[in-house]
Amino acid sequence: MNKIQGFYYVKSEDKVYECKLRGILKRKESKDNCVVGDIVEISEDNYIINVEERKNLVERPLVANIDYLVIQFAGKDPDIDYERLNILLLRSFYYKIKPVIIINKIDLLSAEELEEVKKNLEFLNKLDIKYFLISQKENIGIEELKVFLKDKITAFGGPSGVGKSSIINLLQNEKKLETGETSKRLRRGKHTTKDTNLLELIGGGYIIDTPGFSSVELPDIKDAQELIALFPEFTNRGNCKFNNCLHLNEPSCAIKNSVGEGEIERSRYNFYKKVYEKLKEERWNRYE
């Protein structure tokens, strides 16, 4: 949880209020009783008296109510790691956050290389995932990205060396938030901090930049059915012969048929099989 010496910083109506947590919330004895991104209600004496229901909660880093997870790679230097991209997509679906893909440094790509990247990202269109081809150096695609992220809370993830800091610096508001005077009524606002874990966007919204969103560790997926649910292209593909079909070696499998017909990308299906085998070997076998 992001706080400074027991204080919380809440923005409301363009002001930031230094607050403490009311005792009834503290008694939960939980690190997630109030986290960055929470929508909270504060009293006239600057106590947080209520935390509203969250639409999502990410454990590492500990943040809530994220609208988008931007998964950023470079077109070249370093080359796109498509397996890592798929892992970050899996983490995004697990935490119920809408993924968005950024490919930076397209100025380094030849026309043929750019077309190859576009071809490799075609599967995103089937998943209704937005992607941006950007050159921070030549200011290509930045304005479109600003419009897309406006008024949203967005987390950035991806490997080092892909220009995340440069993109974020172009998007965020450099003005420091100042502490406002106390209002004589109850206020609602987004929990933020003075150590810039939550960065204000130009035109509205916030960015969270933290290495925790770049982790390639698989989330805590409990079983095969939960894993299958994290592949949206597996839904609405007809009925398999077996109700508990794992879409691996079973006959009359609707998912395998969809792969064969090109309706599901084979690379995504192969990724599913790889993750299944990894989780089965490293985690699920412990409970059998």
Side-chain angles (χ1 to χ4, degrees), residues 31-50:
K31 63 181 181 179
D32 63 357
N33 49 17
C34 186
V35 305
V36 168
D38 271 334
I39 308 298
V40 300
E41 187 176 20
I42 60 177
S43 63
E44 62 182 23
D45 55 350
N46 283 15
Y47 274 89
I48 296 174
I49 60 175
N50 183 52

Side-chain angles (χ1 to χ4, degrees), residues 1-272:
M1 178 175 56
N2 291 298
K3 61 180 180 180
I4 303 174
Q5 296 179 345
F7 289 95
Y8 301 77
Y9 295 86
V10 180
K11 184 182 179 185
S12 178
E13 299 179 353
D14 297 322
K15 294 181 181 179
V16 172
Y17 301 89
E18 185 179 75
C19 303
K20 282 195 170 185
L21 201 61
R22 184 68 77 192
I24 191 170
L25 296 176
K26 279 185 177 182
R27 283 197 292 270
K28 291 182 179 179
E29 296 296 333
S30 174
K31 63 181 181 179
D32 63 357
N33 49 17
C34 186
V35 305
V36 168
D38 271 334
I39 308 298
V40 300
E41 187 176 20
I42 60 177
S43 63
E44 62 182 23
D45 55 350
N46 283 15
Y47 274 89
I48 296 174
I49 60 175
N50 183 52
V51 178
E52 296 194 4
E53 184 178 354
R54 299 157 176 157
K55 65 181 179 183
N56 52 48
L57 176 69
V58 181
E59 296 173 355
R60 286 178 292 181
L62 194 54
V63 293
N65 298 315
I66 306 301
D67 294 302
Y68 296 134
L69 172 60
V70 166
I71 301 169
Q72 183 172 329
F73 287 87
K76 181 183 287 188
D77 191 26
D79 293 341
I80 301 172
D81 182 343
Y82 288 98
E83 180 167 330
R84 186 169 189 170
L85 188 154
N86 276 306
I87 291 174
L88 292 174
L89 284 176
L90 194 71
R91 289 174 59 83
S92 183
F93 293 137
Y94 178 82
Y95 287 114
K96 298 179 174 58
I97 304 172
K98 180 73 173 177
V100 179
I101 309 300
I102 287 179
I103 305 299
N104 190 25
K105 302 185 184 181
I106 62 170
D107 52 285
L108 300 180
L109 299 175
S110 66
E112 292 77 12
E113 289 171 328
L114 182 58
E115 286 305 310
E116 183 179 0
V117 167
K118 290 179 180 179
K119 182 178 180 181
N120 290 335
L121 296 178
E122 282 181 357
F123 76 96
L124 297 173
N125 295 324
K126 296 180 180 179
L127 300 179
D128 193 29
I129 296 175
K130 179 78 172 178
Y131 73 88
F132 294 85
L133 302 174
I134 282 179
S135 169
Q136 173 266 327
K137 182 179 179 181
E138 297 184 0
N139 199 30
I140 297 173
I142 299 296
E143 291 304 317
E144 183 184 4
L145 181 62
K146 286 180 181 178
V147 171
F148 186 81
L149 299 181
K150 185 178 184 298
D151 296 329
K152 303 295 184 181
I153 299 180
T154 303
F156 269 68
S160 59
V162 300
K164 291 196 302 293
S165 296
S166 297
I167 297 295
I168 288 171
N169 285 339
L170 290 172
L171 296 173
Q172 70 164 301
N173 193 337
E174 295 181 353
K175 180 181 178 182
K176 297 292 184 181
L177 296 173
E178 298 176 352
T179 301
E181 295 180 359
T182 302
S183 171
K184 295 300 181 182
R185 58 186 177 83
L186 294 179
R187 300 172 298 273
R188 295 173 67 254
K190 291 184 176 66
H191 174 210
T192 182
T193 65
K194 285 188 175 179
D195 57 352
T196 64
N197 286 299
L198 207 57
L199 307 173
E200 191 170 17
L201 285 174
I202 298 171
Y206 296 90
I207 286 178
I208 296 175
D209 177 31
T210 170
F213 286 107
S214 302
S215 173
V216 294
E217 180 181 351
L218 293 173
D220 187 22
I221 301 169
K222 298 297 191 299
D223 54 37
Q225 294 307 314
E226 184 177 11
L227 173 63
I228 290 168
L230 298 179
F231 285 78
E233 63 265 58
F234 287 7
T235 60
N236 301 321
R237 294 295 175 184
N239 296 322
C240 298
K241 181 176 181 179
F242 302 105
N243 291 333
N244 60 346
C245 185
L246 299 176
H247 316 312
L248 297 172
N249 303 311
E250 300 89 342
S252 301
C253 171
I255 299 304
K256 289 192 296 181
N257 290 341
S258 294
V259 174
E261 294 171 3
E263 296 174 354
I264 294 176
E265 293 291 333
R266 186 166 296 276
S267 61
R268 286 281 292 170
Y269 176 67
N270 289 338
F271 173 70
Y272 160 73

